[in-house]
Amino acid sequence: QVQLVQSGSEVRKPGSAVKISCKASGGSFNGYSINWVRQAPGQGLEWMGDIVPVFAIPNYAQKFQGRVTITLDESTSTAYMELTSLRSEDTAVYFCARDYSVKAPFFEFWGQGTLVTVSS
Amino acid sequence: EIVLTQSPGTLSLSPGERVTLSCRASQSITSGYLAWYQQKPGQAPRLLMFGASNRATGIPDRFSGSGSGTDFTLAISRLEPGDFALYYCQQYDTAPWTFGQGTKLEIK
């Protein structure tokens, strides 16, 4: 059973950047895309982008284009999401989630979430 | 992008009752590429349904999904205390994958 373990909470100042990790324990990503989904306090879920293993090709939601970078280190089964030019509205819990299977971008396996707080 | 609108925003029901949650898409979702999730406070979402009507692993048959095109439904029969949570739908027909704003199921 795949477990996704994320890095811990972060506090950042406006204008700075944050990089969050997501490590697959109990196995690799098995060729399935890793997605990043965020949830602002009291709000719904928002898909930010994903990355396809093997090819390491990222896809980003247009809203985050230019500010988000998703990368993958397959040697350590770890995915990363970096968000730059942070603003207070980026305060949220950020989840990684694995595609259910190839070309099935819904999510059975989730990380525990990483709280990012953006505050001056 | 496809906008998903869930209704109602909040439902107040009692254990043992049956409930139906609605998810409406701004454009047709082909092949029923719609999933449902349950989320409890402080937890990651839990996959309930995919392909509109397929239960995920370990999901009891009290949960059922239906719908096609732009209108989808999640039904829960015989509500149990653990069912009171937030529910989200998600479409995976057209990128970017989008979620509904959620329906909160609370105990009456």
Side-chain angles (χ1 to χ4, degrees), chain B residues 73-98:
Chain B
T73 297
L74 175 70
I76 313 171
S77 62
R78 305 184 308 278
L79 281 167
E80 296 185 357
D83 298 335
F84 292 91
L86 270 164
Y87 290 83
Y88 293 97
C89 56
Q90 178 226 336
Q91 65 82 20
Y92 52 98
D93 175 83
T94 304
W97 323 130
T98 51

Side-chain angles (χ1 to χ4, degrees), chain B residues 35-82:
Chain B
W36 288 92
Y37 300 86
Q38 177 193 72
Q39 188 181 33
K40 296 180 180 178
Q43 296 184 15
R46 173 194 183 195
L47 178 67
L48 298 175
M49 312 289 300
F50 61 92
S53 60
N54 301 288
R55 278 185 295 277
T57 303
I59 304 303
D61 59 9
R62 298 185 298 102
F63 292 83
S64 62
S66 62
S68 63
T70 60
D71 290 300
F72 296 86
T73 297
L74 175 70
I76 313 171
S77 62
R78 305 184 308 278
L79 281 167
E80 296 185 357

Side-chain angles (χ1 to χ4, degrees), chain A residues 1-6 22 24-25 28-30 32-37 95-101 104 106-112, chain B residues 37 44-47 56-57:
Chain A
Q1 174 107 350
V2 173
Q3 278 192 306
L4 302 178
V5 181
Q6 298 182 224
C22 170
S25 65
S28 69
F29 294 124
N30 289 331
Y32 303 152
S33 294
I34 295 297
N35 300 259
W36 289 90
V37 176
F95 294 100
C96 62
R98 200 198 77 173
D99 274 9
Y100 183 81
S101 67
F106 53 93
F107 317 124
E108 184 174 22
F109 299 110
W110 294 73
Q112 81 277 19
Chain B
Y37 300 86
R46 173 194 183 195
L47 178 67
T57 303

Side-chain angles (χ1 to χ4, degrees), chain A residues 16-93:
Chain A
S16 67
V18 68
K19 190 171 184 177
I20 303 167
S21 67
C22 170
K23 182 176 176 59
S25 65
S28 69
F29 294 124
N30 289 331
Y32 303 152
S33 294
I34 295 297
N35 300 259
W36 289 90
V37 176
R38 78 175 186 180
Q39 186 170 38
Q43 302 300 309
L45 301 164
E46 184 173 34
W47 182 79
M48 301 177 68
D50 66 9
I51 189 162
V52 182
V54 179
F55 305 105
I57 299 173
N59 302 287
Y60 304 128
Q62 187 165 6
K63 174 177 178 177
F64 299 99
Q65 284 275 2
R67 285 210 302 145
V68 68
T69 303
I70 298 174
T71 55
L72 193 61
D73 181 346
E74 292 209 65
S75 67
T76 60
S77 297
T78 304
Y80 299 90
M81 189 283 296
E82 182 175 30
L83 189 62
T84 61
S85 302
L86 290 169
R87 33 209 188 225
S88 58
E89 310 90 88
D90 294 318
T91 294
V93 176

